[in-house]
Every structure is written in structure tokens, then in C-alpha cells.
Amino acid sequence: MSIELKSVSKKFGAVAAVNDVTFSVNEGELLALLGPSGGGKTTVLRMIAGLELPTSGDIFIRGQRVNDLSVRQRNIGFVFQNYALFKNMNVFKNIAFGVKIKKWKPADIQARVEELVQLFGLEGLEKRYAHQLSGGQRQRVAIARALAPKPSVLLLDEPFGAVDAKIRQELREWLVTLHHELNVTTIFVTHDQEEAMEVSNRIVIFSRGNLEQIGTPREVYEQPRNEFVARFVGVMNVLDTEVAGGLARVGELEFPASGHPDGTKVRIGFRPYAVQISSDLTAHRYRAVLRHTYFLGVLLRVELELPSGLILRARMSKEEYAQQGLADGKPVSVNIRQYRILGSDSESLRPEVATMYDTIVGAGEGI
């Protein structure tokens, strides 16, 4: 393992920022720490870097316990959200800063900076200062500077949060390519679910200082451990009801709830992609009206209203939408082909598939 946290907690006075967190990071992995503000993810990153000390628990880097080691002794590269470039230094000197501190030979410094300038696409910018660079260029310089001393681990705190959407997308793709080329163990903090899903090998999800789930993007999306994860990662329809006669009923909808006694209050959850829509009113069990369509590019987000007034969110491709001749206000038939009975934040989710449903949706059909 490259990094291990064992029962790590952090308190600031009476406030518990991180509660008994245990996880490991594989060598060469690109791992995302995901969660809302105040979830504990940045505190975890800072403890790995040595910028914060754990109240309890142990942190290991390549098998060595580092709780008592300084930031410099940990051989960590750290990139802040605001770049933190030295304003009085040009690009070359910014990148060279860490290796100069380590007293590399001038020839080795020159070679290392030139290597990173080429790798990061910064040719011709070596003499420019931070204020002469775009946001994307400044972030590349910051990451190049962190990588110059050849750290064992690269830590990124909200690395793309300060740039606009277009540049952010370009930087995501660039980071994945860079990681494949360098294979440096990398941990990055983000509150952006799409960013974590797109970039990382695995995702560690935090909420209120607790580690809620660890898994691949597909696992946390398709197999969320609890309601928090189900709601936070992607979009989910959540319906509150109670079981009667073995069924959980919400308006016209009926969901088999075997194993749940009558009178049990439950929450039914299903992803938008699990909602089947057809312009053929005999194709599916339920009727609805297509209330509104949001065009998102390749995928469309659709709102449906059932006769009871219940609103459902669905997604479909623009090709399917066009082929069926759908339009706002048009009546359609609807079915739910996969759902889950949601557990509380401390419980797991139970997948339920009813006999009236067709197939289980596979990954890759869109969030």
C-alpha cells in the first residue's frame, strides 16, 4: 500500500472533524475524497500531508508511520486550490523551487524543469509570471512545482475549483493523461460528484466527518451503502411511504417490499435511468404526462407527472426522445425497472427487483 489511515480521528476543540477513519490507497492509484463542505475530506488530506496532526490513529506512507514526521520528511507534493504560486518568480523558478530547496545540482534542476515544462505543455512560458498566465496554466505550473522533487504522493486540494467550466473539463482530462504517464499515487479532494466519477479510480465519500463508502465510481453509483451516498452521488428519485400488504405504495406506484412488515416506513429510491418511458400508452403499466424536458446535450432530463400529481425524474438519449416523437405535454406510459429500499445513513441499501420489471440497468447508461 502507498498510504494507510488506521482509525484516524481529528478534533478541533469539542468539534470532531474526522471520526475514526480507516482506508488505504494503492500504489499508483488516483483516489478522490468526495463530500459536501464540512465533511472532513480536506482535513484528511491535510493530515496525510502533515499540515494537521491526528488526535488519534495512525497514518502510514509506504509502510512507515508518519505521525511524527514533518511535512518535508514525508516526501509529499501538495497543490492548493488557489495555486499559491510565488508572484515574484517566473514559471521556471516556481517549478524549480522545491528542487532548489533540496539542493539539487544546477544541471539536474535545469533538466528536471525542462522535462516538466514539456510534459505539462508550458513551452514558451518559462519567463512569464503568475499574473501573465491563465487559470489553467497557473494550475499546471502549481502541479509541476509539486512534482518536481519526485514526491512519493501527490495531494490536490480542490485542484480545479478556481477555473471556469470549460478549463475545468480540459484539466480533468489532462490530469487523467498525466497520471497514466507518471503513475504517481494521487489523492484529490473535490465536492464535485461528476469530477470524482470522471477522474478517479476509486472514491472515498465523507459526510460530517464520517467515511460513508469507498468504491469505484460504478460501485458508489450503482450500489450506494446508504441514503446519503444515494442522494449525493448522482440524482435519485426518493419516495417516502409505508408497507401495506407486502407492497410499498406511492400514488399509483407499487413496489414489492418483501421482508418489511406492514406499517414499516420506508423510502424507495431509483435512478432517473431506471424510469422507462414510451409514447405507446400500452407499453408500460403506469400513465404520465411529460411535464418538462431539459436538454443537456447527448442526454435529456425529463420530468414526468403522474395522475396523482407525483413528479418523477428520468433521463434518456436525445435519439430515443426523437424516435418516439416525445414533446412536453404528451401522454406517455411509464415503468420503474430497478429500485432500492433505502437504509438510513448507518444502514446498507437492499436492492429489490420486482417481477414486473424488465432488466437491470447496466453501468454506462448515464448518471
Side-chain angles (χ1 to χ4, degrees), residues 233-267:
V233 179
V235 177
M236 177 166 277
N237 294 283
V238 178
L239 309 176
D240 291 285
T241 186
E242 65 178 48
V243 178
L247 295 173
R249 295 183 175 87
V250 187
E252 304 87 334
L253 304 180
E254 293 183 346
F255 302 91
S258 58
H260 295 269
D262 285 2
T264 303
K265 292 184 178 181
V266 295
R267 285 183 172 176

Side-chain angles (χ1 to χ4, degrees), residues 35-97:
S37 298
K41 55 191 185 300
T42 295
T43 301
V44 168
L45 196 77
R46 291 175 63 84
M47 286 192 288
I48 295 171
L51 299 172
E52 300 285 354
L53 298 179
T55 304
S56 61
D58 295 308
I59 300 174
F60 297 85
I61 297 179
R62 290 185 170 175
Q64 180 184 13
R65 184 178 180 274
V66 298
N67 292 43
D68 302 319
L69 297 185
S70 67
V71 176
R72 187 176 299 180
Q73 290 173 308
R74 297 189 188 199
N75 192 27
I76 293 287
F78 199 108
V79 178
F80 298 91
Q81 179 180 351
N82 62 354
Y83 318 125
L85 297 181
F86 299 111
K87 296 180 180 180
N88 62 331
M89 296 183 185
N90 60 26
V91 168
F92 186 97
K93 291 181 179 179
N94 261 287
I95 297 174
F97 180 79

Side-chain angles (χ1 to χ4, degrees), residues 275-288 320 324 326 331-337 355-358:
V275 181
Q276 296 176 295
I277 303 172
S278 176
S279 56
D280 180 356
L281 300 183
T282 65
H284 300 306
R285 177 178 178 180
Y286 304 108
R287 297 288 183 90
E320 183 183 1
Q324 294 204 47
L326 297 178
V332 293
S333 62
V334 175
N335 194 28
I336 316 299
R337 57 183 171 179
T355 55
M356 65 178 181
Y357 300 155
D358 316 306

Side-chain angles (χ1 to χ4, degrees), residues 211-357:
L211 195 162
E212 299 289 351
Q213 185 169 354
I214 305 174
T216 64
R218 179 174 179 173
E219 287 169 346
V220 299
Y221 184 77
E222 294 189 342
Q223 303 168 36
R225 284 185 57 194
N226 55 42
E227 185 178 347
F228 171 81
V229 176
R231 286 180 177 272
F232 190 75
V233 179
V235 177
M236 177 166 277
N237 294 283
V238 178
L239 309 176
D240 291 285
T241 186
E242 65 178 48
V243 178
L247 295 173
R249 295 183 175 87
V250 187
E252 304 87 334
L253 304 180
E254 293 183 346
F255 302 91
S258 58
H260 295 269
D262 285 2
T264 303
K265 292 184 178 181
V266 295
R267 285 183 172 176
I268 303 296
F270 49 93
R271 298 292 188 189
Y273 67 68
V275 181
Q276 296 176 295
I277 303 172
S278 176
S279 56
D280 180 356
L281 300 183
T282 65
H284 300 306
R285 177 178 178 180
Y286 304 108
R287 297 288 183 90
V289 172
L290 202 160
R291 182 181 179 184
H292 192 76
T293 304
Y294 299 89
F295 289 85
L296 306 176
V298 175
L299 289 176
L300 306 179
R301 180 160 62 90
V302 176
E303 282 187 0
L304 302 165
E305 183 173 357
L306 278 65
S308 64
L310 187 66
I311 303 297
L312 303 181
R313 291 171 292 179
R315 287 205 176 185
M316 61 195 312
S317 69
K318 64 180 182 181
E319 289 80 8
E320 183 183 1
Y321 187 93
Q323 288 172 0
Q324 294 204 47
L326 297 178
D328 289 358
K330 185 169 184 175
V332 293
S333 62
V334 175
N335 194 28
I336 316 299
R337 57 183 171 179
Q338 183 183 11
Y339 67 94
R340 290 176 178 268
I341 296 179
L342 302 181
S344 67
D345 285 355
S346 61
E347 297 173 340
S348 62
L349 296 178
R350 295 180 51 196
E352 304 281 356
V353 181
T355 55
M356 65 178 181
Y357 300 155

